[in-house]
């Protein structure tokens, strides 16, 4: 290549990315961290103001610092005393975080903000002086999604425990509006107090998703907010603090509801004619349904095994229920009687059972649940944190049992206990349409992808062969047996 050709080639390829359309460049910029986004201003005149086209603002540690390595540099600053404490380091990180967010907001001239997310694992009191001002900018630019995620964990200075002051959500910032814009709101470690008496909820009328975690709620929370959000489809209440003892959740547009481990004694009555998904963690006796005819998928975590017998009557009213997961700690042997209640449309059942190491376990009471599910096709049983047990066999009479639709059985957390093989042996004999059955030492909890560590050595050395020996002559050629 001659020198002239090289010059022409360099000229042709010079800053070709700047010739791309604005919408393409905006998409590229949306993939950068906030820190790297600001660096693009120095590339050329074309790039000087392009960063302001960013419409999704995400202020968290990775976005503001770029990497954990930069945060670690605060540990080795020249003026850091030898007796540096974690609190002193975090104070510097916090101050720098606030400075960077504030600098960005002050210089941001974009016309529209779609989402505003601020996540920092520190109490909100450290940024309260700035938070309302930052949020007001987002509201003024028609923000549609807001996530304010703080921490309510106390911090320490010189071994002194410092109390936490939670962030009070500023309804007043949403009082002036040309029309509804907000579609998603998520608060963590905040206070959602009563709005002003003359508040018209215009900004909230298109709210589709509301997530509240570790948030203090007013006595009439459902009435004061949910009743005004006629399009709300997703509601999540995680570890929230209710001052009243009874809450009624009425949501004609609700499709998804999550209630996780609320204080005992708070009773919930749910009337949601269109809800299809429900996740509940708490005492089953504290929740009742007035109306939920469209429920298809549900997960329940019950703290006590004594609540299990009330499961079938509770769920039998859900005539469209297809997927059900139950998780509980087993402190004593369950005696679950046969019930006339039936889960007529249930297709998949997942049981997550944790028992103390000393507890005897007889799995045949589970058959009474399977009996109530005539159309069940897949059954998954997970033993959480399993341990081998010795001389804990319970003699029982499972009674008459047969199932004509069950095709797939999975049992996780196997460590070679007697009941694993005996239970599977019984199922193999009485499940007519069985296609595959899997036994594995690995287990997972509900909603988690990572697998737990069982006592695999016991399974590898003897458990697997014990199960194989028991089932060798029981499993038909039509059934695929997998021992992991």
């Amino acid at each position: 290549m001659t020198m002239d050709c090289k010059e022409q080639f360099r000229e042709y390829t010079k800053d070709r990315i700047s010739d791309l359309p604005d919408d393409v460049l905006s998409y590229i910029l949306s993939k950068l961290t906030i820190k790297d986004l600001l660096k693009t201003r120095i590339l050329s005149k074309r790039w000087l103001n392009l960063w302001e086209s960013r419409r999704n603002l995400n202020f968290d540690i990775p976005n503001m610092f770029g990497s954990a390595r930069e945060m670690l540099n605060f540990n080795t600053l020249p003026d850091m005393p030898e007796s540096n404490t974690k609190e002193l380091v975090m104070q510097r990180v916090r101050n720098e975080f606030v400075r960077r967010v504030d600098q960005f907001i002050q210089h941001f001239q974009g016309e529209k903000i779609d989402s505003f997310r601020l996540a920092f694992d520190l109490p909100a009191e450290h940024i309260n002086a700035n938070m309302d001002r930052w949020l007001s900018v987002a509201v003024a630019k028609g923000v549609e999604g807001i996530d304010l995620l703080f921490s309510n964990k106390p911090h320490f200075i010189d071994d002194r425990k410092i109390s936490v002051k939670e962030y009070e959500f500023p309804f007043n910032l949403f009082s002036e509006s040309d029309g509804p814009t907000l579609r998603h709101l998520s608060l963590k470690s905040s206070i959602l107090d009563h709005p002003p008496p003359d508040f018209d909820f215009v900004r909230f009328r298109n709210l589709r998703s509301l997530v509240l975690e570790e948030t203090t709620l007013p006595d009439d929370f459902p009435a004061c907010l949910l009743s005004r959000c006629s399009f709300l489809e997703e509601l999540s209440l995680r570890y929230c603090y209710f001052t009243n003892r009874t809450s009624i959740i009425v949501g004609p547009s609700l499709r998804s509801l999550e209630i996780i481990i609320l204080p005992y004694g708070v009773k919930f009555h749910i009337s949601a004619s269109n809800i299809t998904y429900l996740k509940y963690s708490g005492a089953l006796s504290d929740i009742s349904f007035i109306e939920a005819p469209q429920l298809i998928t549900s997960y329940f975590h019950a703290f006590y095994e004594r609540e299990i017998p009330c499961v079938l009557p509770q769920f039998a009213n859900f005539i469209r229920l297809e997927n059900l997961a139950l998780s509980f700690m087993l402190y004593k042997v369950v005696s679950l009687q046969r019930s006339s209640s039936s889960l007529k449309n249930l297709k998949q059942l997942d049981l997550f059972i944790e028992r103390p190491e000393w507890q005897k376990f007889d799995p045949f009471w589970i058959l009474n649940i399977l009996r109530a599910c005539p159309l069940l096709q897949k059954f998954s049983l997970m033993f959480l944190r399993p341990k081998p047990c010795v001389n804990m066999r319970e003699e029982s009479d499972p009674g008459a049992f047969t199932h004509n639709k069950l095709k797939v059985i999975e049992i996780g957390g196997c460590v070679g206990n007697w009941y694993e093989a005996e239970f599977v042996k019984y199922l193999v004999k009485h499940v007519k349409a069985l296609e595959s059955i899997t036994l594995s030492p690995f287990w997972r909890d509900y909603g988690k992808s990572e697998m737990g560590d069982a006592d695999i050595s016991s399974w590898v050395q003897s458990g697997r062969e014990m199960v194989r020996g028991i089932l060798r002559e029981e499993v038909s050629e039509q059934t695929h047996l997998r021992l992991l």
Side-chain angles (χ1 to χ4, degrees):
M1 183 180 292
T2 64
M3 183 61 66
D4 290 341
C5 290
K6 290 181 178 179
E7 290 294 332
Q8 292 176 4
F9 180 76
R10 276 196 293 266
E11 184 65 26
Y12 177 77
T13 57
K14 181 180 179 181
D15 199 20
R16 298 295 295 172
I17 194 172
S18 294
D19 293 333
L20 294 173
D22 284 355
D23 56 344
V24 176
L25 292 178
S26 295
Y27 177 78
I28 295 174
L29 293 176
S30 69
K31 302 300 181 182
L32 300 179
T33 65
I34 296 293
K35 180 182 179 183
D36 291 336
L37 176 68
L38 295 176
K39 293 179 180 178
T40 62
R41 295 178 297 176
I42 65 174
L43 295 179
S44 68
K45 291 182 178 179
R46 173 83 166 84
W47 289 82
L48 184 60
N49 297 314
L50 275 175
W51 68 279
E52 294 177 348
S53 65
R54 179 74 166 260
R55 298 174 64 161
N56 299 304
L57 306 185
N58 186 2
F59 302 109
D60 57 17
I61 291 298
N63 269 282
M64 302 310 296
F65 290 91
S67 67
R69 178 176 299 178
E70 182 175 350
M71 282 189 59
L72 293 177
N73 291 338
F74 286 91
N75 247 331
T76 57
L77 292 174
D79 60 339
M80 181 68 72
E82 293 184 1
S83 59
N84 62 325
T85 64
K86 180 181 179 181
E87 174 61 28
L88 182 57
V89 173
M90 290 309 299
Q91 181 179 352
R92 295 195 174 196
V93 172
R94 176 173 64 245
N95 293 341
E96 181 63 16
F97 179 87
V98 171
R99 188 190 70 80
R100 294 185 184 189
V101 174
D102 198 50
Q103 186 180 43
F104 184 97
I105 296 295
Q106 286 184 15
H107 292 88
F108 183 77
Q109 299 296 322
E111 297 180 359
K112 180 71 168 68
I113 294 179
D114 288 340
S115 64
F116 180 93
R117 179 178 183 272
L118 193 144
F120 198 39
D121 192 22
L122 282 173
E125 60 183 319
H126 297 297
I127 58 175
N128 271 343
N130 303 280
M131 190 65 248
D132 285 4
R133 180 165 48 84
W134 298 341
L135 192 57
S136 65
V137 173
V139 173
K141 297 182 182 296
V143 65
E144 297 180 8
I146 295 176
D147 295 85
L148 305 179
L149 311 178
F150 307 114
S151 170
N152 65 354
K153 298 177 182 177
H155 57 288
F156 296 85
I157 298 180
D158 298 330
D159 295 328
R160 291 181 294 111
K161 185 176 180 180
I162 307 300
S163 60
V164 171
K165 182 180 179 181
E166 295 178 320
Y167 179 66
E168 296 186 20
F169 184 73
F171 275 106
N172 60 298
L173 295 182
F174 298 83
S175 58
E176 297 180 4
S177 172
D178 296 330
T181 59
L182 199 61
R183 298 175 64 88
H184 166 78
L185 175 62
S186 178
L187 302 177
K188 180 181 179 183
S189 299
S190 303
I191 297 176
L192 192 65
D193 208 345
H194 289 280
D198 57 346
F199 191 73
D200 58 10
F201 285 93
V202 170
R203 286 276 191 181
F204 294 84
R205 289 181 183 173
N206 275 347
L207 194 67
R208 297 300 200 274
S209 172
L210 178 61
V211 180
L212 304 175
E213 183 174 353
E214 298 175 356
T215 295
T216 301
L217 304 174
D219 290 349
D220 58 348
F221 160 74
C224 75
L225 185 57
L226 296 184
S227 60
R228 309 293 184 92
C229 304
S230 56
F231 296 105
L232 189 67
E233 296 179 355
E234 299 179 10
L235 173 62
S236 180
L237 305 175
R238 306 169 185 167
Y239 313 100
C240 290
Y241 307 103
F242 281 80
T243 54
N244 61 332
R245 311 301 290 178
T246 300
S247 290
I248 299 176
I249 296 179
V250 178
S253 61
L254 273 183
R255 298 292 189 275
S256 175
L257 175 62
E258 179 183 48
I259 303 176
I260 299 181
I261 310 181
L262 291 159
Y264 285 114
V266 178
K267 295 187 179 297
F268 282 86
H269 304 278
I270 299 173
S271 177
S273 57
N274 291 305
I275 189 173
T276 60
Y277 173 83
L278 170 67
K279 180 177 181 179
Y280 177 80
S281 179
L284 292 177
S285 58
D286 286 340
I287 186 171
S288 63
F289 296 89
I290 301 174
E291 185 181 14
Q294 305 299 320
L295 189 64
I296 295 177
T297 301
S298 183
Y299 164 73
F300 271 71
H301 174 77
F303 289 119
Y304 304 111
E305 74 286 337
R306 65 173 178 264
E307 295 184 298
I308 297 173
C310 74
V311 167
L312 296 184
Q314 182 86 316
F315 296 153
N317 295 324
F318 306 147
I319 58 176
R320 298 191 61 189
L321 187 64
E322 295 183 2
N323 305 290
L324 175 63
L326 298 173
S327 177
F328 49 88
M329 170 70 81
L330 195 67
Y331 283 103
K332 64 180 181 180
V333 177
V334 173
S335 178
L336 183 62
Q337 303 299 321
R338 297 188 188 187
S339 172
S340 59
S341 302
S342 177
L343 304 178
K344 297 179 180 179
N345 285 316
L346 199 68
K347 302 296 192 303
Q348 179 169 338
L349 174 64
D350 299 278
L351 296 183
F352 301 84
I353 300 177
E354 182 176 358
R355 65 172 182 83
E357 187 174 345
W358 45 264
Q359 176 60 57
K360 296 180 179 181
F361 181 69
D362 179 358
F364 288 102
W365 61 267
I366 296 174
L367 296 178
N368 283 332
I369 298 181
L370 300 183
R371 287 187 179 98
C373 309
L375 299 183
L376 192 68
Q377 297 181 11
K378 182 177 180 180
F379 172 56
S380 176
L381 175 60
M382 288 285 168
F383 297 112
L384 308 182
R385 287 166 279 276
K387 295 290 184 181
C389 62
V390 181
N391 298 326
M392 290 189 177
R393 180 164 183 161
E394 286 284 326
E395 297 295 338
S396 60
D397 178 16
F401 173 80
T402 185
H403 205 291
N404 297 321
K405 298 294 183 180
L406 190 55
K407 297 180 179 180
V408 179
I409 296 176
E410 298 176 350
I411 301 181
C414 296
V415 291
N417 288 321
W418 70 269
Y419 52 77
E420 297 160 5
E422 293 296 328
F423 186 53
V424 171
K425 178 181 177 180
Y426 186 87
L427 291 176
V428 167
K429 286 183 177 181
H430 296 87
V431 176
K432 305 303 181 182
L434 189 60
E435 296 178 357
S436 70
I437 185 164
T438 302
L439 280 78
S440 168
F442 304 104
W443 57 272
R444 65 173 181 83
D445 209 339
Y446 178 81
K448 297 181 180 179
S449 57
E450 66 272 16
M451 305 300 286
D453 295 325
D455 188 351
I456 299 178
S457 60
S458 172
W459 173 255
V460 171
Q461 293 171 7
S462 60
R464 186 191 292 125
E465 292 307 314
M466 182 266 293
V467 172
R468 190 188 304 277
I470 293 177
L471 299 180
R472 182 178 291 114
E473 297 181 0
E474 304 293 341
V475 179
S476 66
E477 295 181 356
Q478 291 76 27
T479 303
H480 179 50
L481 174 64
R482 299 176 63 215
L483 302 177
L484 302 182

